[in-house]
Amino acid sequence: MDLRAALTTHRLVAIVRGDNPAAALRTVLTLAAEGIELIEVSLTGKDALGVIEQARQALGPDRPLGAGTVLTADDARAAHRAGADFAVTPALGEGVGAARELGMPVLAGVLTPTEIVTARGLGAAALKIFPAAEAGGPAYLKALRGPFPHEPFVPVGGVDEAAARGYLAAGAVAVGVGSPLIGDAADGGSVSELRARARAFRAVVAEFAQ
């Protein structure tokens, strides 16, 4: 898949992490039904690989599905076997290179200018600024875009609706959203409330449609 193009088009990555595999799978399928095209399942969730495998079967071969928190080469290989077609990392570990060798585009975690340059050299498709809120929010993104005006930045960490607007206005190609979107749905919480949050975030990113 062309991850950079997908990020530019859809502007939102939903991050699913939960302790209830059945609820996590239900969350993925609900988000997909609500029109959220880019979904990652964090490998830190319970039976995350099983969730990815079942989600892939339910969604079919053409719907983008990512694995998050890919740290090691083994993580990348396991995610690929389960059916993930893109990888998301919190940092520039060995998972980046392993995912690239498997043909999986990578949204690679960076924070500093040095890491941005390193990620570019590793072939990352896009750059996940993490943790974005703690780094300085939209103002930090704006500062990074001075020396790196064309890099596809995706802030992640503490991104609520207001922050999403701020990052997109500051030039982010997309935003990654976990708990402000997912809430407790992946642990068995309300599906109707998840649907409402999904619609609210879709409305926010629609303001910045390209």
Side-chain angles (χ1 to χ4, degrees):
M1 66 172 295
D2 186 337
L3 180 59
R4 181 167 181 166
L7 291 166
T8 302
T9 299
H10 301 299
R11 314 303 298 270
L12 173 66
V13 181
I15 304 166
V16 177
R17 177 187 295 107
D19 291 329
N20 182 326
L25 176 62
R26 183 181 63 191
T27 298
V28 171
L29 300 182
T30 299
L31 292 169
E34 287 296 329
I36 293 181
E37 296 291 334
L38 297 175
I39 303 169
E40 71 168 88
V41 177
S42 172
L43 297 185
T44 58
K46 187 173 181 180
D47 192 24
L49 293 170
V51 173
I52 292 171
E53 185 173 1
Q54 292 177 74
R56 170 54 69 212
Q57 292 173 355
L59 295 172
D62 299 324
R63 190 73 178 250
L65 182 62
T69 324
V70 174
L71 293 171
T72 67
D74 285 344
D75 288 341
R77 287 189 285 265
H80 185 259
R81 286 194 300 269
D85 49 16
F86 68 94
V88 184
T89 75
L92 300 178
E94 64 180 21
V96 176
R100 294 292 297 119
E101 290 175 3
L102 292 164
M104 299 170 68
V106 180
L107 173 55
V110 300
L111 190 60
T112 67
T114 298
E115 291 172 345
I116 291 167
V117 172
T118 301
R120 179 192 292 166
L122 292 171
L127 305 175
K128 168 183 167 178
I129 302 176
F130 177 79
E134 289 78 2
Y140 184 62
L141 170 62
K142 185 176 180 180
L144 286 177
R145 293 192 72 240
F148 304 106
H150 305 300
E151 294 297 329
F153 290 117
V154 182
V156 177
V159 181
D160 59 14
E161 292 175 45
R165 283 191 180 91
Y167 287 122
L168 292 169
V173 69
V175 291
V177 186
S179 57
L181 168 57
I182 306 306
D184 63 354
D187 296 317
S190 169
V191 171
S192 62
E193 291 178 7
L194 173 65
R195 290 185 184 278
R197 291 190 296 270
R199 292 167 188 171
F201 270 98
R202 284 199 67 202
V204 169
V205 300
E207 298 172 18
F208 300 88
Q210 295 186 355

